[in-house]
Amino acid sequence: MGNITRGPFPWLVLAFILSAATSSPAIGLCIGALMGLTVGNPARDYTSRAGKYLLQGSVVLLGFGLQIGIVLKVGSESLGITAVSIGCTLALGWALGKALKVDRDLSTLLSGGTAICGGSAIAAIAPAIGASGADTAVAMAVVFLLNGVALIVFPPIGHLFGLTQDQFGLWAALAIHDTSSVVGAGAAYGMAALTLATTVKLTRALWIVPVSFAAARFHRRNSKARIQWFLVGFLAAALIRTLLPQADPAWTTLASVGKRLMTATLFLVGAGLTLEDLRKAGGRPLICALSLWMLVASISLGLIKSGLVELSI
């Protein structure tokens, strides 16, 4: 089996087979993680890169399922919510990092990954603050673990608390780390939840650049933050659908393909998990990240369920 999985192509083929077989991103994640931990993934660098690009392509395709008016409405209305959420999460992360004596760079990466969009935020913030490769790897491993857990447990919790589609979409967008799992959890809950979760999550992701620059100033480093161009593609796709409504069947098909590809994306994400990652995720960084995530998830759930924070399509 090890020889078969040595190159990247068998992993990619299996990822696309899973996309055709199931629309459940959670299944893709579990199978990928199981294979990564048991069989091993010698092509990890290639599959991780492929997963990153597949995620970006999936998000762009999902844009074809939305009207630009809805995107702009939800995005503008959620801007204040995401700003407050990100600010509070960063402040809580800083306080927890200090209390648990987690290295400052690592604490910043964990807080940024929780506040904005998981691995993408960590990848942007790390060079901005000059974080070491070891700190970046640990932050990625910890956020990856929690992100995978969130994809699986959030939909059942949403049903347990009787969250509406809009409520769950907002909660997932505010409390789950990576865009991939936000989209996956939203898709598992329903199309309305998927639409709102994706749009609010991408609004959150827009904060990558300003937060990276702010972190660089805080750490007295020269920032290397970059624009996430797939966000522009998402907006362009929604605009195209709005301007060419006569081709709605084609746009709907493309959006469905994007949703299906999330299974392949999560499979490749899971395939990148190793036993070494699990060992790195131990100790205080994991406690810090887990505590921060549970606080953010609990507080946001309480505010949304009580109606103090709400948003609808």
Side-chain angles (χ1 to χ4, degrees):
M1 185 69 175
N3 291 330
I4 296 176
T5 59
R6 190 168 299 279
F9 296 108
W11 293 95
L12 295 176
V13 170
L14 185 53
F16 286 112
I17 290 175
L18 280 172
S19 284
T22 177
S23 60
S24 171
I27 291 177
L29 178 71
C30 291
I31 293 177
L34 182 63
M35 290 188 64
L37 292 171
T38 56
V39 177
N41 181 5
R44 181 186 182 189
D45 290 343
Y46 295 99
T47 56
S48 295
R49 194 176 307 121
K52 172 186 174 183
Y53 292 130
L54 194 58
L55 167 62
Q56 295 174 351
S58 299
V59 170
V60 172
L61 289 175
L62 287 171
F64 285 108
L66 304 173
Q67 296 285 342
I68 190 64
I70 293 176
V71 175
L72 295 178
K73 173 182 177 292
V74 174
S76 61
E77 291 179 355
S78 65
L79 198 60
I81 296 173
T82 55
V84 172
S85 170
I86 289 169
C88 291
T89 302
L90 292 173
L92 281 171
W94 177 82
L96 285 170
K98 291 281 285 185
L100 293 169
K101 298 181 180 179
V102 176
D103 177 78
R104 187 175 73 157
D105 284 357
L106 180 54
S107 177
T108 299
L109 294 177
L110 292 171
S111 300
T114 305
I116 308 174
C117 57
S120 299
I122 292 171
I125 294 172
I129 65 174
S132 67
D135 281 347
T136 304
V138 171
M140 287 282 193
V142 170
V143 166
F144 173 87
L145 291 173
L146 299 182
N147 191 56
V149 171
L151 173 65
I152 296 170
V153 305
F154 263 55
I157 293 175
H159 288 300
L160 178 65
F161 281 90
L163 297 184
T164 66
Q165 292 280 312
D166 288 341
Q167 286 177 327
F168 181 83
L170 180 58
W171 183 47
L174 294 178
I176 298 179
H177 302 80
D178 272 346
T179 303
S180 55
S181 285
V182 171
V183 174
Y189 209 78
M191 283 306 298
L194 170 62
T195 298
L196 193 142
T198 301
T199 307
V200 175
K201 181 61 178 179
L202 294 181
T203 303
R204 250 177 94 189
L206 292 173
W207 289 91
I208 285 180
V209 173
V211 169
S212 296
F213 279 114
R217 291 293 299 273
F218 182 71
H219 287 253
R220 292 184 170 83
R221 304 284 168 78
N222 293 321
S223 178
K224 300 177 182 177
R226 294 179 294 180
I227 296 173
Q228 304 294 307
W229 289 106
F230 73 96
L231 302 178
V232 178
F234 174 82
L235 294 173
L239 178 61
I240 290 171
R241 172 162 192 159
T242 304
L243 295 177
L244 300 172
Q246 63 272 22
D248 267 2
W251 309 140
T252 300
T253 299
L254 288 175
S256 297
V257 170
K259 183 179 176 182
R260 281 275 179 175
L261 286 179
M262 290 309 303
T263 300
T265 298
L266 268 296
F267 169 79
L268 294 174
V269 169
L273 183 64
T274 67
L275 292 174
E276 182 63 23
D277 288 333
L278 294 178
R279 283 191 288 268
K280 287 177 179 177
R284 286 178 298 191
L286 180 57
I287 295 173
C288 180
L290 179 60
S291 300
L292 177 61
W293 178 50
M294 291 183 68
L295 280 170
V296 171
S298 300
I299 293 171
S300 58
L301 176 60
L303 291 173
I304 291 169
K305 182 62 179 175
S306 66
L308 293 175
V309 175
E310 57 183 356
L311 194 65
S312 60
I313 298 174

